[in-house]
Amino acid sequence: MTEPQDSVGFGSGSGSPSGSGSGSGSGPMVRAEGVHKFFGRLHVLRGIDLEVEPGEVMCVIGPSGSGKSTFLRCINHLEKIDSGRLWVDGDLVGYRQRGEKLHEMREREVAAQRRDIGMVFQRFNLFPHMTALENIMEAPVQVRGESKAAVRERAMDLLDRVGLSEKVASYPSQLSGGQQQRVAIARALAMEPKLMLFDEPTSALDPELVGDVLDVMRQLAVDGMTMVVVTHEMGFAREVGDSLVFMDAGAIVEQGRPRDVLTDPQHQRTQDFLSKVL
């Protein structure tokens, strides 16, 4: 297993994908180059290479244990990679390059990077003692130090955007799973991220509640939000996705336009997987 500080040799050695420094905004929103991740001896990610362009919706599919969620968590450094490099909007994620070595950032610096990356989990992770409105307001006020008045106005707009304007004063226990997930999406959007990550956002929902959450995500795509979505919803991937990645055993097996991959997969492993889920 290779430590991040020894991971030079992956890529060109420049500090950003274009070699132009941080946050240039002119290249891919996400770029992964030779990303490996281990949990002990388990090799979870095996050299992931991909790019996500600004405004693109990339859907990631694959069997359980294929590394999809782990890769998503690596994008915002909730999991540390063991070798390779990850950039978001031109900035190395979690590390600073000096010469030929990578040095891990302090947690405060990593937290600052995460402010630009919204993440929605399988479980909603709302604060149970806070109303829907308070859940959405918490991070902008506490993390970014914004005024409560300004954040409240934005939070009200976001609740309306996700179809929950009448649930302002409701606590999570008073909301259905689908409503909680829509509040979680609004909470992530309250930080005005440049990138949204979705980790199987509908997998914990009853089937009749899935549609409302997917509708919110469809509208985000229409609005131009860059999204990486780990999902089992093949219809969503086909209709909304700009690109589709099939992962298995920690590697990207196949990728391309969703309709192409879903209707005419080129690899036998992709064919076997899709034959069971379509």
Side-chain angles (χ1 to χ4, degrees):
M1 181 168 66
T2 310
E3 294 300 319
Q5 290 85 348
D6 299 322
S7 64
V8 290
F10 288 84
S12 64
S14 66
S16 70
S18 61
S20 59
S22 65
S24 65
S26 58
M29 180 61 71
V30 179
R31 180 176 175 183
E33 187 178 88
V35 171
H36 290 257
K37 173 66 183 177
F38 292 83
F39 290 119
R41 294 186 177 182
L42 182 61
H43 199 174
V44 181
L45 297 177
R46 300 171 178 265
I48 301 297
D49 295 298
L50 60 73
E51 293 184 355
V52 184
E53 296 299 324
E56 179 179 348
V57 178
M58 175 178 283
C59 294
V60 185
I61 63 172
S64 297
S66 59
K68 309 182 302 294
S69 294
T70 297
F71 177 66
L72 207 66
R73 292 169 65 85
C74 288
I75 293 176
N76 65 358
H77 208 60
L78 287 174
E79 296 288 353
K80 300 175 184 178
I81 65 176
D82 291 297
S83 65
R85 287 176 173 80
L86 268 168
W87 293 269
V88 171
D89 198 24
D91 290 324
L92 270 173
V93 175
Y95 300 96
R96 180 172 287 106
Q97 185 160 335
R98 294 172 185 163
E100 290 299 310
K101 289 191 176 182
L102 298 182
H103 300 268
E104 189 167 0
M105 290 180 174
R106 296 188 177 98
E107 181 56 36
R108 182 176 60 184
E109 296 172 301
V110 174
Q113 285 189 325
R114 289 196 190 113
R115 294 174 194 172
D116 290 329
I117 306 172
M119 186 159 186
V120 178
F121 299 89
Q122 297 177 39
R123 297 291 175 177
F124 327 119
N125 297 334
L126 299 177
F127 295 115
H129 62 289
M130 293 184 179
T131 65
L133 183 66
E134 290 167 342
N135 264 282
I136 296 168
M137 292 179 60
E138 179 71 4
V141 171
Q142 298 300 326
V143 176
R144 289 181 21 173
E146 296 185 59
S147 73
K148 286 187 177 181
V151 173
R152 180 183 176 86
E153 182 177 353
R154 187 159 78 243
M156 294 288 288
D157 288 342
L158 286 168
L159 278 170
D160 183 59
R161 187 175 178 185
V162 300
L164 293 173
S165 56
E166 78 284 2
K167 300 294 184 181
V168 170
S170 297
Y171 290 89
S173 62
Q174 299 170 317
L175 301 173
S176 70
Q179 289 170 336
Q180 289 185 61
Q181 191 63 294
R182 283 185 279 158
V183 172
I185 293 172
R187 180 180 60 180
L189 292 173
M191 291 292 283
E192 300 179 317
K194 62 180 71 172
L195 169 68
M196 285 285 286
L197 309 176
F198 292 87
D199 187 7
E200 299 187 19
T202 60
S203 64
L205 302 180
D206 293 333
E208 65 268 23
L209 303 177
V210 168
D212 289 339
V213 173
L214 293 181
D215 285 344
V216 172
M217 295 171 65
R218 286 187 182 94
Q219 189 57 52
L220 286 178
V222 170
D223 293 342
M225 175 63 72
T226 310
M227 300 158 62
V228 182
V229 184
V230 172
T231 184
H232 292 297
E233 301 290 340
M234 300 301 163
F236 175 86
R238 182 185 292 108
E239 297 164 23
V240 181
D242 298 300
S243 59
L244 183 66
V245 170
F246 172 65
M247 289 183 64
D248 187 43
I252 293 176
V253 176
E254 188 165 350
Q255 64 185 105
R257 294 188 302 179
R259 290 182 183 274
D260 293 341
V261 175
L262 293 174
T263 59
D264 188 25
Q266 300 301 300
H267 293 262
Q268 185 62 49
R269 182 66 188 94
T270 316
Q271 295 170 17
D272 293 342
F273 174 78
L274 291 175
S275 70
K276 297 174 182 177
V277 300
L278 290 179

